[in-house]
Structure formats: structure tokens, C-alpha cells
Amino acid sequence: LAKTTQPISMDSYEGQEVNITCSHNNIATNDYITWYQQFPSQGPRFIIQGYKTKVTNEVASLFIPADRKSSTLSLPRVSLSDTAVYYCLVGDMDSSYKLIFGSGTRLLVRP
Amino acid sequence: GAGVSQSPSNKVTEKGKDVELRCDPISGHTALYWYRQSLGQGLEFLIYFQGNSAPDKSGLPSDRFSAERTGGSVSTLTIQRTQQEDSAVYLCASSLGGQGMTGELFFGEGSRLTVL
């Protein structure tokens, strides 16, 4: 089964760049890497998805090395509203394509 | 509707009672997922439906849990003889699905279950 490992928590300050790394040693060839953000009392929300190298959208960048055994979510110039839990998600090794969420990283952005 | 709809948003029940939680996925989404999230914890996978294929039930914690998806759309998660440890937020998500790809999941707001 695919398994992800993330830091439990991170602290940052407004305006700083935040990088959250996820390890996924058993990622399968056809699996994509997806990151989600979750605020309290809400369902998770999609942030970004990638397969390899680098992906950038209006809110974040995703860096994936050639071996794809890890990925790094980069949030530029965070604000207080970025305080949330961030989940790294990869496709499961089984053919059923079951999705397994990691433990999540609780990001706290301070003024 | 525009998004994934779940009902009820809150459910308080007594230990031993059965409960049903409903999920209306986004129209046209073939994949549907149920997750459970206990207070302060991550998401725990429960079950996955993809089109007309047999569901992946490997995440269901016990035989008291079951789920159906009728007509490839609406899904119902049923918990029989509820226990206090079943108290959690039950989240439903849907996606376009597709073999070999982790598609973007669209989550509902969840159903908060409290078992007294």
C-alpha cells in the first residue's frame, strides 16, 4: 500500500515562503501526487497535482524529483488565512486505485 | 447541485441505533469516496465506488459499516448498532475518476456523527 509521511506541524510568519515535504517511497508508476488543504469544520480542498518535475498554479508550486519518492509543496508569501492542515495524497499501489491520505501537516502562520 | 452534498450535516444518536448518511456527488462524477475523520485526526479511507465496478470496501472498520451507491450516483453509508467510537465526521468526495490517475477530489462539508 502506498504510504506517505509528512511533518506533523510547521510554524511560519506572514510573508514567508513555506515548503512542506511529503515522502512516498512506494509510489506507483501511474500515480499522481496531489495536495489538499483543510480548514476546521470543512472538507479538504484541492491545491495542486503533479506527476514529475515542477507544477505551478496561482496558489502554489509542487516540486517532484526524478525518483518521485517525495514531493514538496511550496506556498509563496503565506498569509494568516493559509493556516490549515495540508495533506499529501498519492494513488494506492493496488489496482483499485484507492486513495490514501497522509497524516497531514498542520501549518500555523503567525502575524 | 454545483458541489457534493451531504446530509444530515449533524446527527446525534444513541448507542446501538442505526444511522444512514447520504451523499449526492457532482453530476457526471463516476468515482465516489467515503472517509472518516475523528477529532484532530487525518482522513481515514472507508470505501470507494468507481462506475459500475464492485466497490473497494477494504477500509470499512467492521461489518457494522456498509455503503451503497444506487444508479451510479447517490450513495448511502449505513452504520448499524452504533458505538461511541463511531463518533466522527464522515466525509464524502467525488471525482471524474479514471484508471491510473489520481483525479481531483471534490469534498462535501461532511456529516458530523455523535454517538451518546
Side-chain angles (χ1 to χ4, degrees):
Chain A
L1 294 178
K3 178 180 173 63
T4 59
T5 303
Q6 303 175 236
I8 294 173
S9 64
M10 295 181 68
D11 280 17
S12 184
Y13 292 91
E14 281 191 295
Q16 290 190 331
E17 177 184 82
V18 171
N19 296 309
I20 306 174
T21 297
C22 177
S23 298
H24 28 77
N25 292 319
N26 295 327
I27 188 169
T29 302
N30 292 331
D31 288 338
Y32 279 67
I33 300 157
T34 314
W35 285 78
Y36 286 81
Q37 174 191 56
Q38 186 178 29
F39 298 113
S41 302
Q42 294 186 23
R45 184 179 68 174
F46 174 90
I47 300 175
I48 196 167
Q49 183 180 80
Y51 184 80
K52 62 180 179 180
T53 61
K54 177 184 175 182
V55 179
T56 298
N57 62 22
E58 63 276 9
V59 298
S61 293
L62 180 60
F63 298 92
I64 305 169
D67 65 7
R68 304 203 325 125
K69 293 184 182 300
S70 67
S71 59
T72 299
L73 174 73
S74 181
L75 304 173
R77 298 178 297 281
V78 294
S79 63
L80 297 178
S81 62
D82 292 318
T83 293
V85 178
Y86 292 82
Y87 292 97
C88 167
L89 185 65
V90 300
D92 193 78
M93 287 287 286
D94 294 342
S95 59
S96 62
Y97 303 98
K98 179 175 62 179
L99 300 181
I100 305 294
F101 276 76
S103 56
T105 298
R106 193 172 300 273
L107 173 65
L108 173 62
V109 180
R110 301 178 187 275
Chain B
V4 177
S5 178
Q6 291 189 245
S7 61
S9 55
N10 279 286
K11 176 71 175 180
V12 179
T13 190
E14 294 179 346
K15 178 181 174 181
K17 301 282 189 178
D18 297 353
V19 297
E20 284 190 352
L21 308 176
R22 176 187 169 101
C23 173
D24 279 283
I26 293 173
S27 178
H29 281 191
T30 61
L32 186 148
Y33 308 78
W34 282 98
Y35 291 86
R36 178 169 71 174
Q37 187 170 36
S38 300
L39 187 64
Q41 302 298 310
L43 279 73
E44 174 189 6
F45 167 81
L46 297 178
I47 189 168
Y48 163 63
F49 296 89
Q50 171 57 55
N52 295 321
S53 301
D56 182 341
K57 303 180 180 180
S58 59
L60 295 178
S62 76
D63 58 8
R64 296 187 295 105
F65 288 72
S66 63
E68 292 185 343
R69 189 179 184 191
T70 55
S73 181
V74 172
S75 177
T76 301
L77 177 68
T78 301
I79 309 173
Q80 295 178 311
R81 305 180 302 281
T82 52
Q83 303 294 313
Q84 289 182 332
E85 59 264 28
D86 298 335
S87 295
V89 176
Y90 290 81
L91 289 159
C92 176
S94 70
S95 75
L96 287 172
Q99 190 172 22
M101 177 176 173
T102 301
E104 176 179 350
L105 299 184
F106 295 82
F107 281 85
E109 293 295 308
S111 292
R112 181 177 298 277
L113 174 66
T114 303
V115 181
L116 301 177

